[in-house]
Amino acid sequence: MTIVTRLLVSASILIAAFVSVPAQTLQKITINYPTRSGASWPLYIAKEGGYYQKYGLDVDLQFGVHPTGVAMLTSGQAVMVNHSLEQGMVASTRDASFALMGSTSNRGLFALIAQKAFNNPKELKGKRIAVGQIGDAPYNYTVALLGTYGLGNRDVTWIPVGTDVSGRASALQSNRADATLLTAPNYFRLEEAGFKNLANLADHDVYAATTYMFSKKAVADSPRLPEQIIKAHAEAIKRFYDDKAFAVKSYIAYDRQPDADVARIYDLYAKGNIFERVPYVLDPAVKAIVEQQVDPRLAKDLKSFDFKRVVDNSVVARLVKEGFFQKLFGAGVKAEEDRKAKLAFR
């Protein structure tokens, strides 16, 4: 066998060996998102930007309004829901098989939109306010926002519509309600039609936190899963702040809105620095939800429940210690790490 032949044979063996190495097997999981709004943006970017895949996950993002996500976790159909912290806490008081292991944001862009005759939230006393259902997160956000204007939950008439933000908007447009709390871009359209924007939740000291709500069973079966998802979402949040064009494109893939509207939403989120780079579940956010609950039965459940059973900041704390967030966002994030660590729920 000549030298050339031996080289060709060796090369063939190396190529064959390389080809025979199996590609990385991605873990197939389902994540629920209960709202088509900016709150779900990090999930959209993690999927469209390949960050789930980077951390070994093949994610099926499925939309379903609350309580769909809770049912999916309980049945094993999903491993995580990007829930409002409030709904995650309420669900946990009934079933402690969940784990709240991170938070993308603590403030939300919710506008209080009213019929054309109103000019101030105080004028809503005795009027009809549309909500998805009594006791859900938008309901309590509305109660908290109205409270800053001196109105209590009994000062208005609540109109449950049983659906998400689009249903609340329809109730306003059909005159079944005098006002409702809406996310962008829904409230953009109503503003253009002459409805009044009376206030925005982001301009008041009201927590509107989200949380990564896991099934404890899913975490027990796959202990690295929270770390993989938290890292993927952190990368997505960095991409959000760094790449407006991609962020807008990713959003439209899941909620087909005009480019100009999504660009406007982006600017509001970016200017408000809404997404958390260091995603601890915060102690003041947990306390605010307990204190803001107006339903007597739910308030009793929240006050008596030990949330140390379900809130778990250990993965975020370990990633901080290992330097993950500083490596991703730069040394400037250290101040945020220190500040958030002091506020983290323990």
Side-chain angles (χ1 to χ4, degrees):
M1 183 180 293
T2 66
I3 294 176
V4 173
T5 302
R6 285 198 297 271
L7 289 173
L8 289 173
V9 170
S10 298
S12 298
I13 293 172
L14 287 172
I15 292 171
F18 177 79
V19 171
S20 67
V21 174
Q24 179 188 18
T25 301
L26 300 179
Q27 181 181 355
K28 293 182 180 293
I29 62 170
T30 297
I31 293 176
N32 167 262
Y33 62 102
T35 175
R36 293 188 180 100
S37 70
S40 303
W41 218 325
L43 283 69
Y44 302 159
I45 295 176
K47 178 70 174 180
E48 298 301 303
Y51 299 113
Y52 287 132
Q53 294 93 322
K54 177 178 178 179
Y55 291 101
L57 301 173
D58 179 3
V59 174
D60 178 18
L61 291 180
Q62 291 191 12
F63 171 74
V65 298
H66 179 70
T68 300
V70 174
M72 292 177 71
L73 288 185
T74 303
S75 66
Q77 292 176 274
V79 300
M80 195 208 88
V81 181
N82 186 50
H83 238 321
S84 72
L85 178 59
E86 178 166 333
Q87 288 170 333
M89 288 170 58
V90 170
S92 296
T93 64
R94 299 166 181 165
D95 181 353
S97 66
F98 306 122
L100 313 181
M101 302 186 72
S103 177
T104 56
S105 62
N106 285 287
R107 293 186 300 133
L109 295 174
F110 291 84
L112 182 63
I113 305 296
Q115 298 288 347
K116 302 171 185 180
F118 299 97
N119 296 294
N120 189 291
K122 294 180 181 179
E123 298 173 4
L124 295 175
K125 186 172 183 178
K127 304 304 180 181
R128 303 163 299 166
I129 311 295
V131 292
Q133 57 185 331
I134 302 299
D136 68 7
Y139 166 81
N140 286 305
Y141 298 158
T142 307
V143 171
L145 181 59
L146 291 176
T148 66
Y149 292 91
L151 298 180
N153 67 305
R154 295 185 180 180
D155 289 327
V156 300
T157 298
W158 300 100
I159 308 297
V161 298
T163 59
D164 65 353
V165 62
S166 60
R168 301 199 301 275
S170 295
L172 193 61
Q173 291 171 305
S174 63
N175 201 32
R176 288 186 292 136
D178 296 301
T180 191
L181 203 64
L182 299 176
T183 51
N186 297 79
Y187 74 77
F188 296 166
R189 299 285 80 81
L190 274 78
E191 285 179 322
E192 292 167 0
F195 291 88
K196 297 291 183 64
N197 187 337
L198 303 184
N200 199 300
L201 199 67
D203 298 328
H204 294 76
D205 188 20
V206 177
Y207 275 97
T210 62
T211 190
Y212 301 145
M213 183 175 174
F214 287 87
S215 157
K216 286 182 180 177
K217 182 180 184 306
V219 175
D221 291 343
S222 185
R224 289 190 60 247
L225 192 59
E227 176 182 336
Q228 292 168 288
I229 291 176
I230 289 170
K231 284 183 172 181
H233 290 168
E235 297 237 22
I237 288 170
K238 183 177 189 301
R239 185 74 178 272
F240 173 87
Y241 288 118
D242 291 348
D243 192 344
K244 177 179 179 178
F246 186 78
V248 169
K249 179 181 177 182
S250 297
Y251 185 101
I252 293 172
Y254 295 86
D255 185 10
R256 295 189 180 281
Q257 303 289 342
D259 288 20
D261 281 354
V262 180
R264 181 180 170 189
I265 301 170
Y266 175 92
D267 290 340
L268 291 169
Y269 268 78
K271 181 180 179 181
N273 208 29
I274 298 294
F275 292 125
E276 304 285 0
R277 294 168 177 81
V278 186
Y280 284 111
V281 177
L282 301 184
D283 183 68
V286 172
K287 289 179 177 177
I289 288 167
V290 174
E291 293 167 359
Q292 292 169 5
Q293 179 56 247
V294 296
D295 180 282
R297 181 179 58 81
L298 293 179
K300 180 180 179 181
D301 291 344
L302 289 169
K303 289 177 181 178
S304 63
F305 188 79
D306 181 6
F307 284 100
K308 292 180 181 179
R309 296 172 60 189
V310 294
V311 177
D312 183 355
N313 277 315
S314 62
V315 174
V316 175
R318 177 169 55 78
L319 292 176
V320 167
K321 185 176 181 180
E322 293 173 354
F324 171 78
F325 298 108
Q326 288 192 50
K327 183 178 180 180
L328 179 61
F329 293 106
V333 81
K334 178 66 165 59
E336 184 174 344
E337 288 179 333
D338 293 342
R339 179 170 58 87
K340 292 291 176 60
K342 293 177 182 178
L343 295 173
F345 182 89
R346 291 179 177 80

